[in-house]
């Protein structure tokens, strides 16, 4: 492609048509790498046209010519386990912000100015999506987050084979990292712990065998759950005033049978009287005592329903 053809390719009415909207990531990267770069004069002219006249076609030319920069920067963050396509997408957002704020009269090229905005958007995306729980909130923690991994790799590279397999930092290494990044050693240790800890799914796997071992099974706090509170109050009421109300609905003989059979506990833990002992006391059969007990329990259940 000649220089004239390259320049005209960036001055089409819809420059974004040059970048495929469909296809895989490799096709996108191949397409943006074929887009020509702007000269210093072309870049300054497009930036002034955007700044002074709000020319969106000029903005498109500036963005298109720097898409390959976003792809290059995104490769630096592949170690965080996030899709490169998402990193590129966030980086493109940063690029567009840079183009909007770029002032060609400051004496710097857009490539130098845009790197800050591209990295800022990618950093924010990683911090929000790398873990469910944020690992870095302050400016110092963010700096530590994005430098600790590379510094650990550099330190391991300088060790012997025996020491290179260690996953944690030694005290001397922690002190070295703290000095280099101007943070406290305990902050380095805390960040290393955050980075080494993996995410844990709260819910169990699809098979039923793992349900009882999933965190959701033992982390849930039912103590203050509204339904559980109401059920506990109802249960306490029925076990106290409710039982007394139900007993008052019985005749003296039925009440004594129920109390002896269900509510009385002797000091020797032998419980109340047996059916035969109650039968002998009232001069009836044990079966009759059982029938009275069954009828009394039914009557108590009805009384408890209205208690």
């Amino acid at each position: 492609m000649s220089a004239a053809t390259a320049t005209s390719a960036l001055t089409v009415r819809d420059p974004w048509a040059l970048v495929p909207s469909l296809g895989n990531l490799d096709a996108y990267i191949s397409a943006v790498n074929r887009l020509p770069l702007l000269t210093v004069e072309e870049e300054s002219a497009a930036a002034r046209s955007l700044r002074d006249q709000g020319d969106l076609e000029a903005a498109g030319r500036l963005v298109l010519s720097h898409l390959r920069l976003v792809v290059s920067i995104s490769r630096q963050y592949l170690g965080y386990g996030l899709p490169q396509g998402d990193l590129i997408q966030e980086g493109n957002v940063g690029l567009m912000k840079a183009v909007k704020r770029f002032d060609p009269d400051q004496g710097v090229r857009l490539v130098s100015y845009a790197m800050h905005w591209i990295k800022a958007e990618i950093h924010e995306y990683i911090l929000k999506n790398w873990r469910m729980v944020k690992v870095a909130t302050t400016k110092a923690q963010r700096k530590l987050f994005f430098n600790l991994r590379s510094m650990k790799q550099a330190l391991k590279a300088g060790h012997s084979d025996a020491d290179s397999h260690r996953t944690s930092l030694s005290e001397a290494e922690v002190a070295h990292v703290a000095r280099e990044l101007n943070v406290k050693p305990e902050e380095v240790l805390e960040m290393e712990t955050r980075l080494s800890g993996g995410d844990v799914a709260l819910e169990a796997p699809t098979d039923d065998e793992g349900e009882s071992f999933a965190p959701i099974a033992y982390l849930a706090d039912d103590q203050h759950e509204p339904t559980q509170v109401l059920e506990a109050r109802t249960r306490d009421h029925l076990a106290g005033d409710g039982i007394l109300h139900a007993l008052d609905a019985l005749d003296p003989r039925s009440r004594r049978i129920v109390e002896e059979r269900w509510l009385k506990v002797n000091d020797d833990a032998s419980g109340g009287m047996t059916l035969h002992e109650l039968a002998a006391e009232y001069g009836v059969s044990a079966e009759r005592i059982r029938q009275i007990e069954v009828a009394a329990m039914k009557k108590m259940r009805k009384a408890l329903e209205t208690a």
Side-chain angles (χ1 to χ4, degrees), residues 104-116:
D105 295 331
Q106 293 295 324
V108 297
R109 292 295 301 271
L110 177 57
V111 62
S112 301
Y113 182 75
M115 288 182 65
H116 164 76

Side-chain angles (χ1 to χ4, degrees), residues 145-210:
F145 175 86
F146 287 106
N147 286 277
L148 182 58
R149 182 190 295 268
S150 59
M151 293 189 69
K152 283 182 64 175
Q153 293 175 347
L155 290 171
K156 288 168 61 177
H159 290 159
S160 61
D161 293 338
D163 293 335
S164 61
H165 296 290
R166 288 191 295 108
T167 57
S168 59
L169 294 174
S170 65
E171 292 186 9
E173 291 169 339
V174 169
H176 171 73
V177 173
R179 286 194 305 270
E180 290 293 323
L181 299 179
N182 195 27
V183 295
K184 298 178 181 179
E186 51 266 28
E187 292 178 348
V188 176
L189 291 173
E190 181 182 359
M191 184 59 67
E192 185 184 15
T193 302
R194 294 182 183 183
L195 291 174
S196 61
D199 293 329
V200 178
L202 287 177
E203 297 182 351
T206 52
D207 59 307
D208 296 336
E209 296 179 359

Side-chain angles (χ1 to χ4, degrees), residues 52-294:
D52 301 335
Q53 304 171 21
D55 187 351
L56 295 183
E57 289 188 14
R61 292 195 297 272
L62 292 170
V63 171
L64 281 169
S65 64
H66 290 81
L67 290 178
R68 66 179 69 192
L69 173 64
V70 177
V71 173
S72 176
I73 293 176
S74 70
R75 293 194 181 101
Q76 303 173 19
Y77 299 94
L78 295 179
Y80 295 97
L82 297 172
Q84 187 180 9
D86 291 349
L87 296 174
I88 292 174
Q89 177 174 285
E90 296 300 321
N92 287 342
V93 173
L95 172 60
M96 288 185 283
K97 289 182 178 180
V99 167
K100 182 179 179 181
R101 294 167 172 81
F102 179 60
D103 185 356
D105 295 331
Q106 293 295 324
V108 297
R109 292 295 301 271
L110 177 57
V111 62
S112 301
Y113 182 75
M115 288 182 65
H116 164 76
W117 290 94
I118 295 170
K119 289 183 177 181
E121 289 296 323
I122 294 178
H123 286 184
E124 190 68 24
Y125 171 75
I126 292 175
L127 290 173
K128 287 181 178 179
N129 295 275
W130 191 62
R131 290 281 166 82
M132 291 179 64
V133 179
K134 287 187 177 181
V135 295
T137 54
T138 66
K139 184 177 180 180
Q141 287 177 334
R142 290 177 180 229
K143 181 180 179 181
L144 182 57
F145 175 86
F146 287 106
N147 286 277
L148 182 58
R149 182 190 295 268
S150 59
M151 293 189 69
K152 283 182 64 175
Q153 293 175 347
L155 290 171
K156 288 168 61 177
H159 290 159
S160 61
D161 293 338
D163 293 335
S164 61
H165 296 290
R166 288 191 295 108
T167 57
S168 59
L169 294 174
S170 65
E171 292 186 9
E173 291 169 339
V174 169
H176 171 73
V177 173
R179 286 194 305 270
E180 290 293 323
L181 299 179
N182 195 27
V183 295
K184 298 178 181 179
E186 51 266 28
E187 292 178 348
V188 176
L189 291 173
E190 181 182 359
M191 184 59 67
E192 185 184 15
T193 302
R194 294 182 183 183
L195 291 174
S196 61
D199 293 329
V200 178
L202 287 177
E203 297 182 351
T206 52
D207 59 307
D208 296 336
E209 296 179 359
E211 288 185 359
S212 59
F213 300 100
I216 197 68
Y218 54 80
L219 291 179
D221 181 13
D222 297 331
Q223 183 177 358
H224 301 293
E225 198 273 325
T227 303
Q228 298 287 343
V229 173
L230 290 175
E231 289 180 355
R233 289 178 181 176
T234 302
R235 184 170 56 251
D236 293 341
H237 170 71
L238 293 178
D241 297 338
I243 292 294
L244 294 177
H245 173 73
L247 288 173
D248 290 340
L250 302 178
D251 60 83
R253 183 176 65 173
S254 298
R255 176 167 180 161
R256 183 162 185 268
I257 291 174
V258 171
E259 288 177 341
E260 289 291 340
R261 293 281 294 151
W262 293 95
L263 302 177
K264 190 173 182 179
V265 179
N266 295 335
D267 294 339
D268 59 0
S270 60
M273 299 173 66
T274 65
L275 290 175
H276 292 282
E277 290 172 341
L278 289 168
E281 179 177 331
Y282 286 105
V284 295
S285 64
E287 176 60 21
R288 178 56 183 158
I289 295 297
R290 190 193 66 79
Q291 293 173 354
I292 295 174
E293 177 186 351
V294 171

